[in-house]
Amino acid sequence: MKTRDELIDDLLTLAFAEDVGDGDHTTLSTIPADETGKQQLIVKEEGILAGVDIARKVFEKFDPSLKMTVYINDGAHVKPGDIAFIVEGTVRSLLQTERIMLNIMQRMSGIATTTARYQDRLKGLKTKVLDTRKTTPGMRMLEKEAVKIGGGSNHRIGLFDMILIKDNHVDFAGGIQEAVDAAKKYLNETGRNLKIEVEVRNTDEINQALKAGVDRIMLDNFTPERTREAVKLINGRTEVESSGGITFDTLRDYAECGVDFISVGALTHSVKGLDMSFKAC
């Protein structure tokens, strides 16, 4: 299995392959090879900055001689006109790394900004906002990192780091008890130590999950009223997560029911990038 850093390196390799191809012929034809200069990242919209560390990886991978001076780090609140960093070196390298760096930073900063807004909505409550697997293919590590930078928490990274028994698993396995028993047997036989979460659709399934002995129960598409009843029934015997159809406007209603987590696909699947530009000094 590849590490986080290996996955990010693979992503950058693909990004350069699809963008630069056999050469940036505009830059190669108009800019002398020995021309040097500086460019600065200018923030154009208020939000949370994210992706500075990844930007450094972009520059280092393409041209290790590029020098990056950082003025604002990941997680900082930024406003229009702020200069996050300056990069100096060969102009050809600056121009060829510009778009890939901006694509990553704008998306990560948009996710961090959105996450901070959601988590701030829960101020004073114990509930944590979680991301989901509804991420851009290939960019999951970056997008989930952006969620953390914005103050949220990561759910499972992929299919490999948690047992999440959803409705289809339950139906195919023949029931919650059968699915959980099979999962525990598999973990024991393979020597893995993974948490088990079960998605439930009604009170009967909550009782089945509690009887089966799971680490977390996910309340799928419950109303706030049903959520409050479910939390009372579970009574602290396991962690509780709300999921499905929860919006920014209804987020606090669910949190006030006493759930531990609320998973929100909107943190990553349809977020707007934060506006910024990379301009010559």
Side-chain angles (χ1 to χ4, degrees), residues 93-113:
S93 294
L94 292 174
L95 294 175
Q96 289 178 90
T97 53
E98 175 180 328
R99 177 44 54 194
I100 292 172
M101 177 276 294
L102 281 173
N103 285 347
I104 290 172
M105 285 213 58
Q106 287 182 294
R107 180 148 185 83
M108 287 186 69
S109 296
I111 290 170
T113 300

Side-chain angles (χ1 to χ4, degrees), residues 150-163:
S153 301
N154 293 152
H155 202 287
R156 56 180 180 164
I157 298 298
L159 298 172
F160 56 87
D161 58 337
M162 186 179 190
I163 299 287

Side-chain angles (χ1 to χ4, degrees), residues 165-182 201 204-205 208:
I165 301 172
K166 306 196 78 172
D167 53 358
N168 283 335
H169 297 99
V170 170
D171 293 341
F172 280 122
I176 288 177
Q177 187 70 58
E178 290 81 359
V180 173
D181 286 347
R201 295 164 284 193
D204 183 50
E205 290 190 341
Q208 291 179 46

Side-chain angles (χ1 to χ4, degrees), residues 1-2 7 131-135 140-141 144 154-166 169 194-195 197:
M1 189 174 89
K2 292 193 174 184
L7 289 171
D131 52 26
T132 70
R133 285 170 52 240
K134 297 175 183 177
T135 56
R140 181 171 297 173
M141 295 300 171
K144 282 185 172 281
N154 293 152
H155 202 287
R156 56 180 180 164
I157 298 298
L159 298 172
F160 56 87
D161 58 337
M162 186 179 190
I163 299 287
L164 177 47
I165 301 172
K166 306 196 78 172
H169 297 99
L194 302 177
K195 285 192 172 184
E197 179 174 8

Side-chain angles (χ1 to χ4, degrees), residues 13-267:
T13 297
L14 176 59
F16 282 120
E18 69 181 4
D19 197 38
V20 179
D22 70 345
D24 174 5
H25 302 304
T26 306
T27 295
L28 294 175
S29 65
T30 60
I31 305 297
D34 59 353
E35 182 89 10
T36 61
K38 297 181 182 180
Q39 283 188 258
Q40 55 189 358
L41 185 77
I42 306 172
V43 176
K44 301 172 70 176
E45 186 177 2
E46 186 175 3
I48 303 298
L49 190 69
V52 175
D53 288 343
I54 304 302
R56 186 184 298 278
K57 290 181 184 295
V58 171
F59 298 126
E60 288 178 348
K61 183 174 180 64
F62 190 83
D63 182 352
S65 71
L66 290 175
K67 180 183 177 183
M68 181 179 178
T69 303
V70 176
Y71 299 106
I72 306 176
N73 291 305
D74 285 335
H77 184 275
V78 291
K79 61 186 184 304
D82 283 347
I83 307 299
F85 55 74
I86 290 178
V87 185
E88 56 184 305
T90 304
V91 173
R92 284 185 174 184
S93 294
L94 292 174
L95 294 175
Q96 289 178 90
T97 53
E98 175 180 328
R99 177 44 54 194
I100 292 172
M101 177 276 294
L102 281 173
N103 285 347
I104 290 172
M105 285 213 58
Q106 287 182 294
R107 180 148 185 83
M108 287 186 69
S109 296
I111 290 170
T113 300
T114 298
T115 301
R117 180 168 170 260
Y118 272 76
Q119 191 61 59
D120 188 62
R121 177 88 167 143
L122 303 182
K123 187 176 293 184
L125 302 176
K126 70 171 184 177
T127 310
K128 297 179 180 178
V129 173
L130 298 178
D131 52 26
T132 70
R133 285 170 52 240
K134 297 175 183 177
T135 56
T136 309
M139 288 193 67
R140 181 171 297 173
M141 295 300 171
L142 303 188
E143 293 181 349
K144 282 185 172 281
E145 179 66 23
V147 168
K148 290 196 296 183
I149 290 172
S153 301
N154 293 152
H155 202 287
R156 56 180 180 164
I157 298 298
L159 298 172
F160 56 87
D161 58 337
M162 186 179 190
I163 299 287
L164 177 47
I165 301 172
K166 306 196 78 172
D167 53 358
N168 283 335
H169 297 99
V170 170
D171 293 341
F172 280 122
I176 288 177
Q177 187 70 58
E178 290 81 359
V180 173
D181 286 347
K184 290 182 177 180
K185 181 173 182 290
Y186 171 83
L187 292 176
N188 183 59
E189 291 175 347
T190 59
R192 287 177 168 83
N193 182 25
L194 302 177
K195 285 192 172 184
I196 298 177
E197 179 174 8
V198 173
E199 178 184 86
V200 300
R201 295 164 284 193
N202 51 55
T203 301
D204 183 50
E205 290 190 341
I206 291 175
N207 286 321
Q208 291 179 46
L210 289 171
K211 181 181 178 182
V214 299
D215 298 293
R216 186 184 302 175
I217 290 176
M218 177 190 290
L219 308 176
D220 182 45
N221 284 299
F222 277 48
T223 63
E225 292 73 25
R226 291 181 62 210
T227 300
R228 189 171 289 104
E229 293 171 0
V231 170
K232 185 177 180 180
L233 172 62
I234 295 168
N235 194 29
R237 285 177 283 177
T238 188
E239 295 177 339
V240 185
E241 174 185 342
S242 285
S243 181
I246 300 172
T247 66
F248 179 78
D249 291 334
T250 62
L251 187 74
R252 192 170 179 92
D253 294 335
Y254 281 89
E256 288 175 342
C257 294
V259 299
D260 301 290
F261 306 100
I262 299 177
S263 49
V264 182
L267 298 184

